[in-house]
Amino acid sequence: SVLSDISVDEGTLAGERERSLIDGILRRIVNEVEATVRRALAERLAERSDAPRELVLMLANDEADVAYPLLARSGILQDGDLMTIVRQRTVQHRSAIATRELLSASLSAALTEFGEEPVITALLDNKSARISPETFESIARMSRTIEALQEPLLDRQDLPAALVQKMYWWVSAALRQHILDHFDIDPASLDDAVE
């Protein structure tokens, strides 16, 4: 579309003044175009390191379908921007953020605060996400009542061994076998704990 071509085609712009003017015009009209056009623009901007920051922020706070590519991939968005979106937007926005490469431990912790199964599952499935021992502990506590979290949690290679031993007592028989097969836990130590 012309809108996305103008916003990302550097050859179209003669200089910073013109780029600033175009960015201002785009911010004013972007809310007037339909969601499919905004989504296409978000897709194009998600891969750009020189995308207009204000426009990226505006689209990242748009409806979840429009915001998704930016929340999942844009390098323009900083942890502070994402933290605000985590706290103020929807479960779909949080789910998108949970898929980001190399997600910070502070964002991982914030994403779990709402106790939303789809968000936590997306976070656990994101093997590059950094998750602190405290956040793992919080998710493990939730997994006692939200059984759907147990398997993705036990699939994490960075899950602390002490939590694995705790979880052994409340997971299903199939997941107990998974623990014995995939973690370095001595079955005798589990027997000792029972006694």
Side-chain angles (χ1 to χ4, degrees):
S1 81
V2 174
L3 183 60
S4 62
D5 289 343
I6 289 172
S7 69
V8 296
D9 184 3
E10 292 172 7
T12 309
L13 306 176
E16 282 303 310
R17 183 176 183 281
E18 289 82 2
R19 183 177 183 96
S20 176
L21 187 62
I22 294 289
D23 291 348
I25 292 168
L26 283 172
R27 283 193 303 275
R28 279 188 225 112
I29 64 171
V30 78
N31 284 328
E32 296 175 20
V33 298
E34 61 187 64
T36 55
V37 174
R38 295 193 315 271
R39 169 66 187 227
L41 179 58
E43 282 286 351
R44 301 259 326 254
L45 294 176
E47 308 303 326
R48 304 284 303 222
S49 61
D50 61 347
R53 179 170 167 70
E54 291 303 315
L55 184 58
V56 168
L57 283 169
M58 189 166 75
L59 290 169
N61 280 284
D62 203 323
E63 60 188 75
D65 187 52
V66 170
Y68 188 92
L70 293 166
L71 296 175
R73 300 189 308 271
S74 176
I76 300 291
L77 296 171
Q78 304 293 315
D79 272 13
D81 305 322
L82 295 166
M83 194 68 76
T84 300
I85 293 168
V86 164
R87 299 208 189 291
Q88 296 178 355
R89 300 298 293 159
T90 68
V91 63
Q92 293 85 4
H93 288 80
R94 289 186 282 279
S95 292
I97 292 169
T99 67
R100 286 180 72 87
E101 284 291 312
L102 303 174
L103 194 69
S104 71
S106 60
L107 276 168
S108 293
L111 288 167
T112 64
E113 289 174 9
F114 294 87
E116 299 160 327
E117 179 188 326
V119 175
I120 297 170
T121 300
L123 174 65
L124 293 171
D125 288 343
N126 179 353
K127 301 307 182 202
S128 74
R130 295 178 201 98
I131 302 176
S132 71
E134 296 78 20
T135 300
F136 272 130
E137 177 81 41
S138 174
I139 296 170
R141 277 193 307 275
M142 287 182 235
S143 79
R144 290 186 85 143
T145 55
I146 307 174
E147 288 184 29
L149 296 178
Q150 293 174 359
E151 190 170 349
L153 184 56
L154 290 170
D155 281 341
R156 291 291 300 213
Q157 296 299 311
D158 51 348
L159 184 64
L163 275 180
V164 175
Q165 289 184 342
K166 283 183 187 178
M167 288 182 67
Y168 184 86
W169 302 111
W170 72 74
V171 298
S172 68
L175 286 178
R176 283 183 183 160
Q177 190 56 53
H178 174 85
I179 288 171
L180 294 174
D181 292 344
H182 293 91
F183 291 92
D184 186 23
I185 294 178
D186 178 19
S189 71
L190 293 173
D191 292 339
D192 292 344
V194 169
E195 291 177 17

